[in-house]
Amino acid sequence: MTDAEIEITAELVRDLLRDQHPDLAGLPVREVAGGWGNQMWRLGDDLAVRVQRMDTTPEPQLKERRWLPELAPALPLPIPVPVRAGEPSERFPKHWTVMTWVHGEPLDLGTITRGTDAADTLARFLRALHVQAPADAPTSTDRGAHPRDCTGGFESWLKEADALNGIAADVRAVWDDAVTAGEWTGPPMWVHGDLHPANVVVADGTLAGIVDFGDVFAGDPAWDLIAAWLLLPAGTAARFFDAYARADEATIRRARGLAAMKSLFLILMGQNGDRGLPGGKPHWGPLGHAALERVLKGV
């Protein structure tokens, strides 16, 4: 059996805790639905165990261990903070991390009903996150590029996406506009890098926390501003950008194109789920189509 085929069960998680953090081994362990690169297990009421699964490298977890304790105090929403490190062993040859649990419901399973509050909350969070990163902050080899350097991926996803109902030309027009937008000329900023509905949690109809910082990097904040269309209800993007108050026209154009690309990703993940393919998520398809509609309308 290869590393990727090792079945991660509650008993395995308990065994790992007994071996390396026995004081936590008595807490209840229960699986959290979802996850692909890493599997999440709830540990008691306020902790979680993040176990490397399909990720071929421990780098996402190691980045979170290194940087989240520094980022968290300055952020106005809860984020997961590593509290214990689990190292590879004979029992399980991959990394795992005990982290604080961010309470709420993932947005891909919930809804935002207080759109204005969510727009303001997201703007406050990203204003706090988007500060100049230190010289030793991680960079990204795939996310973070100017849209013109991502055209191959965009075209592939656009071609593969089903049920675009005659809007493919409009989607490409948004992308082409992003490709011609000016570059980010400011210093490298802290960027979450993967803001989509499964990576935020909601409570009481608004945003309550941000999770999964495995892609965090220093670069162009436009990669996070896609959240104006990926996360927020229709009609609130303008409110978000007014509250954020740091995005010039070129940055918004880049972000809108990147949001179109991310919407296609959600649609393709939904298709994979409909076809029963590994890692597919059927309920992401409608989320991607709804986000793409908001992108095209610019609201």
Side-chain angles (χ1 to χ4, degrees), residues 18 36 64 125 146 201 240:
R18 290 189 191 103
W36 177 245
E64 290 182 328
F125 178 84
H146 191 282
V201 298
F240 163 78

Side-chain angles (χ1 to χ4, degrees), residues 122-246:
L122 179 64
R124 285 195 299 272
F125 178 84
L126 291 181
R127 282 178 62 91
L129 177 64
H130 291 168
V131 297
Q132 184 171 350
D136 59 340
T139 57
S140 178
T141 57
D142 51 356
R143 305 177 199 272
H146 191 282
R148 66 169 172 266
D149 298 321
C150 306
T151 295
F154 168 81
E155 292 291 349
S156 175
W157 288 357
L158 182 63
K159 181 179 180 180
E160 294 174 20
D162 294 338
L164 293 185
N165 301 319
I167 63 171
D170 296 329
V171 176
R172 180 173 281 107
V174 170
W175 181 257
D176 289 344
D177 182 66
V179 167
T180 62
E183 297 185 8
W184 172 251
T185 58
M189 312 295 276
W190 277 120
V191 179
H192 177 282
D194 197 21
L195 288 178
H196 62 71
N199 285 343
V200 302
V201 298
V202 295
D204 299 323
T206 190
L207 289 175
I210 310 294
V211 299
D212 196 346
F213 281 73
D215 288 303
V216 68
F217 66 90
D220 181 359
W223 281 79
D224 278 352
L225 300 182
I226 67 171
W229 299 280
L230 267 290
L231 305 181
L232 298 176
T236 57
R239 171 79 180 219
F240 163 78
F241 282 111
D242 285 346
Y244 180 76
R246 293 180 182 171

Side-chain angles (χ1 to χ4, degrees), residues 57-79:
T57 169
E59 185 60 27
Q61 284 202 38
L62 299 181
K63 283 197 295 183
E64 290 182 328
R65 291 182 191 178
R66 168 66 180 86
W67 294 107
L68 295 193
E70 294 190 17
L71 291 173
L75 299 177
L77 286 175
I79 68 171

